[in-house]
Amino acid sequence: MNLPNTISFSRLLAVPFLLYGLHDPTPTSQWICLGIFLVAAGTDWLDGYLARKLNQVTELGKFLDPLVDKLLVLAPLLVFIEWNDLPAWGVFVILARELTIAGWRVNSSLSGPIAGANFWGKLKTVSQIVAITLLMIPIDSWNSIGAIAFWVSVGLTLISGLIYLWPQKSPSTSSVN
């Protein structure tokens, strides 16, 4: 396993700490979890940068990176349902998109290389990280801003999922008018 893939995998180690620290939180544990989450989320950029810079982009990395991202994002979202800060159906929309695209990627990989994240997928991930960050801040006035950011991320999640799944016209089948 190369360095970028090791960094991706290490991001997974943040998930149990987040779940434990947010289970029955104090303001201090929320700030600590926020720090853990932001460091872990930052490694998402780092592993991709290193993979490209060191020419170490691998099929494992293209699969592992988005999978770990999904787990890192879904863990606190599930906690927010438990806290009654988010409706389960909104988180379900995110979960359904993530499972659908993961299945689509695996299916696509059977006939060729795994498709990496596109602009919309990356934008969706950033919006989810921003929403989770705002919702994790233990200051009540930030919760409403976090809720708005969450709904923006749900919208971007739907858009990015549709873009992945929408049939693309190949140049040979499109007509010129």
Short mmCIF file of all heavy atoms in Angstrom, two decimals, residues 123-149:
data_model
loop_
_atom_site.label_atom_id
_atom_site.label_comp_id
_atom_site.label_asym_id
_atom_site.label_seq_id
_atom_site.Cartn_x
_atom_site.Cartn_y
_atom_site.Cartn_z
N LEU A 123 -17.47 18.77 -5.00
CA LEU A 123 -18.25 19.87 -4.43
C LEU A 123 -19.23 19.34 -3.38
O LEU A 123 -19.39 19.93 -2.30
CB LEU A 123 -19.00 20.63 -5.53
CG LEU A 123 -19.78 21.86 -5.09
CD1 LEU A 123 -18.87 22.91 -4.47
CD2 LEU A 123 -20.53 22.45 -6.29
N LYS A 124 -19.85 18.21 -3.67
CA LYS A 124 -20.77 17.58 -2.73
C LYS A 124 -20.04 17.23 -1.43
O LYS A 124 -20.53 17.52 -0.34
CB LYS A 124 -21.36 16.33 -3.38
CG LYS A 124 -22.25 15.49 -2.52
CD LYS A 124 -21.71 14.18 -1.99
CE LYS A 124 -20.65 13.47 -2.73
NZ LYS A 124 -19.98 12.45 -1.89
N THR A 125 -18.86 16.65 -1.55
CA THR A 125 -18.09 16.26 -0.36
C THR A 125 -17.71 17.49 0.46
O THR A 125 -17.86 17.49 1.69
CB THR A 125 -16.83 15.47 -0.76
OG1 THR A 125 -17.24 14.28 -1.47
CG2 THR A 125 -16.01 15.08 0.44
N VAL A 126 -17.24 18.53 -0.19
CA VAL A 126 -16.88 19.76 0.53
C VAL A 126 -18.10 20.35 1.23
O VAL A 126 -18.01 20.76 2.40
CB VAL A 126 -16.23 20.80 -0.43
CG1 VAL A 126 -16.11 22.16 0.23
CG2 VAL A 126 -14.88 20.30 -0.91
N SER A 127 -19.25 20.36 0.56
CA SER A 127 -20.45 20.92 1.19
C SER A 127 -20.88 20.09 2.40
O SER A 127 -21.34 20.64 3.41
CB SER A 127 -21.59 21.03 0.18
OG SER A 127 -22.13 19.77 -0.15
N GLN A 128 -20.71 18.77 2.33
CA GLN A 128 -21.04 17.93 3.47
C GLN A 128 -20.09 18.19 4.63
O GLN A 128 -20.51 18.27 5.79
CB GLN A 128 -21.00 16.45 3.07
CG GLN A 128 -22.12 16.05 2.14
CD GLN A 128 -21.95 14.65 1.57
OE1 GLN A 128 -20.89 14.03 1.68
NE2 GLN A 128 -23.00 14.15 0.95
N ILE A 129 -18.81 18.36 4.33
CA ILE A 129 -17.82 18.64 5.38
C ILE A 129 -18.13 19.98 6.05
O ILE A 129 -18.06 20.10 7.28
CB ILE A 129 -16.39 18.60 4.80
CG1 ILE A 129 -16.02 17.15 4.46
CG2 ILE A 129 -15.38 19.21 5.76
CD1 ILE A 129 -14.77 17.00 3.63
N VAL A 130 -18.48 20.98 5.27
CA VAL A 130 -18.83 22.29 5.83
C VAL A 130 -20.06 22.16 6.73
O VAL A 130 -20.08 22.68 7.86
CB VAL A 130 -19.07 23.33 4.71
CG1 VAL A 130 -19.72 24.60 5.25
CG2 VAL A 130 -17.76 23.65 4.00
N ALA A 131 -21.08 21.46 6.26
CA ALA A 131 -22.31 21.30 7.06
C ALA A 131 -22.02 20.58 8.37
O ALA A 131 -22.48 21.00 9.44
CB ALA A 131 -23.37 20.55 6.25
N ILE A 132 -21.27 19.50 8.29
CA ILE A 132 -20.96 18.74 9.50
C ILE A 132 -20.14 19.59 10.47
O ILE A 132 -20.39 19.58 11.68
CB ILE A 132 -20.23 17.43 9.14
CG1 ILE A 132 -21.20 16.48 8.42
CG2 ILE A 132 -19.61 16.77 10.36
CD1 ILE A 132 -20.54 15.34 7.72
N THR A 133 -19.19 20.33 9.93
CA THR A 133 -18.37 21.22 10.77
C THR A 133 -19.26 22.20 11.52
O THR A 133 -19.13 22.36 12.74
CB THR A 133 -17.34 21.97 9.91
OG1 THR A 133 -16.46 21.01 9.31
CG2 THR A 133 -16.54 22.96 10.74
N LEU A 134 -20.16 22.85 10.82
CA LEU A 134 -21.04 23.84 11.45
C LEU A 134 -21.98 23.20 12.47
O LEU A 134 -22.25 23.78 13.53
CB LEU A 134 -21.84 24.58 10.38
CG LEU A 134 -21.02 25.47 9.44
CD1 LEU A 134 -21.87 25.97 8.29
CD2 LEU A 134 -20.39 26.63 10.21
N LEU A 135 -22.47 22.00 12.16
CA LEU A 135 -23.38 21.31 13.09
C LEU A 135 -22.66 20.79 14.33
O LEU A 135 -23.27 20.61 15.38
CB LEU A 135 -24.10 20.17 12.38
CG LEU A 135 -25.17 20.60 11.39
CD1 LEU A 135 -25.54 19.45 10.46
CD2 LEU A 135 -26.39 21.12 12.11
N MET A 136 -21.35 20.54 14.20
CA MET A 136 -20.60 20.00 15.32
C MET A 136 -20.16 21.08 16.31
O MET A 136 -19.87 20.79 17.46
CB MET A 136 -19.37 19.25 14.78
CG MET A 136 -18.88 18.16 15.71
SD MET A 136 -17.49 17.24 15.04
CE MET A 136 -18.23 16.37 13.68
N ILE A 137 -20.14 22.33 15.86
CA ILE A 137 -19.73 23.43 16.75
C ILE A 137 -20.73 23.53 17.90
O ILE A 137 -21.94 23.66 17.66
CB ILE A 137 -19.65 24.76 15.97
CG1 ILE A 137 -18.52 24.69 14.94
CG2 ILE A 137 -19.46 25.95 16.91
CD1 ILE A 137 -18.45 25.88 14.01
N PRO A 138 -20.24 23.49 19.14
CA PRO A 138 -21.17 23.50 20.29
C PRO A 138 -21.65 24.91 20.67
O PRO A 138 -21.64 25.28 21.84
CB PRO A 138 -20.35 22.85 21.40
CG PRO A 138 -18.94 23.19 21.08
CD PRO A 138 -18.87 23.24 19.57
N ILE A 139 -22.06 25.68 19.69
CA ILE A 139 -22.63 27.00 19.93
C ILE A 139 -23.99 27.01 19.23
O ILE A 139 -24.07 26.81 18.02
CB ILE A 139 -21.72 28.11 19.37
CG1 ILE A 139 -20.34 28.05 20.05
CG2 ILE A 139 -22.37 29.48 19.55
CD1 ILE A 139 -19.31 28.98 19.44
N ASP A 140 -25.06 27.19 20.00
CA ASP A 140 -26.41 27.06 19.46
C ASP A 140 -26.67 27.91 18.23
O ASP A 140 -27.35 27.47 17.30
CB ASP A 140 -27.45 27.38 20.54
CG ASP A 140 -27.52 26.30 21.61
OD1 ASP A 140 -27.13 25.15 21.32
OD2 ASP A 140 -27.98 26.61 22.72
N SER A 141 -26.15 29.11 18.18
CA SER A 141 -26.44 29.98 17.04
C SER A 141 -25.87 29.44 15.73
O SER A 141 -26.33 29.83 14.66
CB SER A 141 -25.91 31.39 17.31
OG SER A 141 -24.51 31.36 17.51
N TRP A 142 -24.89 28.55 15.80
CA TRP A 142 -24.31 27.96 14.59
C TRP A 142 -25.17 26.83 14.04
O TRP A 142 -25.02 26.45 12.88
CB TRP A 142 -22.89 27.46 14.86
CG TRP A 142 -21.92 28.57 14.97
CD1 TRP A 142 -21.60 29.28 16.10
CD2 TRP A 142 -21.15 29.14 13.93
NE1 TRP A 142 -20.68 30.24 15.82
CE2 TRP A 142 -20.38 30.18 14.48
CE3 TRP A 142 -21.03 28.87 12.56
CZ2 TRP A 142 -19.51 30.95 13.73
CZ3 TRP A 142 -20.15 29.64 11.82
CH2 TRP A 142 -19.42 30.67 12.39
N ASN A 143 -26.06 26.26 14.86
CA ASN A 143 -26.86 25.12 14.42
C ASN A 143 -27.77 25.47 13.25
O ASN A 143 -27.96 24.67 12.35
CB ASN A 143 -27.68 24.54 15.57
CG ASN A 143 -26.82 23.70 16.50
OD1 ASN A 143 -25.66 23.43 16.22
ND2 ASN A 143 -27.40 23.29 17.61
N SER A 144 -28.38 26.67 13.27
CA SER A 144 -29.26 27.03 12.16
C SER A 144 -28.46 27.23 10.87
O SER A 144 -28.91 26.85 9.78
CB SER A 144 -30.08 28.28 12.49
OG SER A 144 -29.22 29.36 12.79
N ILE A 145 -27.26 27.78 10.98
CA ILE A 145 -26.40 27.92 9.79
C ILE A 145 -25.99 26.53 9.30
O ILE A 145 -25.97 26.25 8.11
CB ILE A 145 -25.16 28.78 10.12
CG1 ILE A 145 -25.60 30.18 10.53
CG2 ILE A 145 -24.20 28.83 8.93
CD1 ILE A 145 -24.50 31.01 11.15
N GLY A 146 -25.68 25.64 10.25
CA GLY A 146 -25.34 24.27 9.90
C GLY A 146 -26.49 23.53 9.23
O GLY A 146 -26.28 22.76 8.29
N ALA A 147 -27.71 23.79 9.69
CA ALA A 147 -28.88 23.15 9.08
C ALA A 147 -29.06 23.62 7.64
O ALA A 147 -29.35 22.81 6.74
CB ALA A 147 -30.14 23.44 9.90
N ILE A 148 -28.87 24.91 7.40
CA ILE A 148 -28.96 25.42 6.03
C ILE A 148 -27.87 24.78 5.16
O ILE A 148 -28.14 24.33 4.04
CB ILE A 148 -28.85 26.97 6.01
CG1 ILE A 148 -30.08 27.58 6.68
CG2 ILE A 148 -28.66 27.49 4.59
CD1 ILE A 148 -29.92 29.06 7.01
N ALA A 149 -26.65 24.72 5.69
CA ALA A 149 -25.55 24.09 4.95
C ALA A 149 -25.85 22.61 4.67
O ALA A 149 -25.51 22.09 3.60
CB ALA A 149 -24.25 24.23 5.73
#
